[in-house]
Amino acid sequence: MLSEYVFMPNGTKELCYPKNFQWNRTVDVYLIVTAKNLGRWVHHFIKNVEKILKESNDSNLHVVIYDYNSSDINLKKVLRESSLASYMFLIESGEYSRTRSFSEAINLVSDPHSIIVMLDLHLDVETPFINNIRKVSFLDNAFIFSQFFVNQLN
């Protein structure tokens, strides 16, 4: 996959590269989800990521699943039988806490330069989304997501 970020100023027919724009196409991206008794949606999420990996062959895409001891899915078995090559999971018992589970899942990611994306299980993520979140600009030490990504959030 080859992609560059360019823009065309109004009134011109010339493509330009943004100044001070940095895009690490190989930065690790971690998709993090949490669940309790949402086995059907965990399957949906895993199938979605398998599709992305099949289309992109992206070896820098990883999955982290934090499960509160769901009774409707054998997460170990499902992950073992999936085509996901890079995943981590935690299975905890007790009362479900979305905040605690995301915090603990994030702590599994040791590389401070990685990009962490917290998702809801029911979302359908398309392959271009992964590279869109990799597009980051640095201005005065502040991170500003590319305009495309910002528009996706609105």
Side-chain angles (χ1 to χ4, degrees):
M1 182 184 313
L2 176 64
S3 181
E4 291 292 332
Y5 195 86
V6 295
F7 68 96
M8 183 182 297
N10 289 337
T12 71
K13 293 186 178 186
E14 185 176 331
L15 292 176
C16 302
Y17 289 96
K19 289 183 179 180
N20 300 320
F21 186 77
Q22 308 231 345
W23 180 13
N24 182 349
R25 292 167 187 84
T26 61
V27 68
D28 287 322
V29 174
Y30 288 84
L31 303 179
I32 297 180
V33 295
T34 68
K36 178 167 177 99
N37 292 326
L38 295 171
R40 183 180 85 127
W41 288 110
V42 172
H43 277 281
H44 173 81
F45 170 75
I46 291 170
K47 293 297 180 196
N48 189 190
V49 176
E50 286 177 322
K51 177 181 173 259
I52 292 169
L53 290 170
K54 183 178 180 183
E55 292 174 358
S56 68
N57 199 27
D58 189 341
S59 62
N60 299 307
L61 180 61
H62 314 278
V63 168
V64 179
I65 300 174
Y66 194 107
D67 179 67
Y68 272 89
N69 204 23
S70 295
S71 60
D72 63 344
I73 186 172
N74 182 337
L75 187 57
K76 290 178 187 178
K77 180 180 179 209
V78 170
L79 286 168
R80 189 174 53 247
E81 293 174 353
S82 76
S83 63
L84 299 180
S86 179
Y87 61 83
M88 295 183 277
F89 66 94
L90 288 167
I91 298 176
E92 292 287 331
S93 58
E95 187 176 331
Y96 177 74
S97 168
R98 188 171 169 91
T99 305
R100 181 175 151 238
S101 58
F102 273 129
S103 294
E104 290 186 22
I106 289 168
N107 287 334
L108 292 176
V109 179
S110 59
D111 181 2
H113 301 290
S114 296
I115 296 174
I116 295 171
V117 181
M118 298 177 291
L119 294 172
D120 285 331
L121 290 168
H122 69 280
L123 294 176
D124 285 322
V125 178
E126 298 297 326
T127 302
F129 176 76
I130 304 305
N131 276 335
N132 285 333
I133 64 173
R134 286 184 169 124
K135 296 174 185 174
V136 178
S137 177
F138 296 91
L139 298 172
D140 298 324
N141 296 323
F143 289 97
I144 301 173
F145 289 99
S146 74
Q147 188 61 42
F148 179 84
F149 184 61
V150 172
N151 287 340
Q152 297 299 312
L153 294 176
N154 292 330

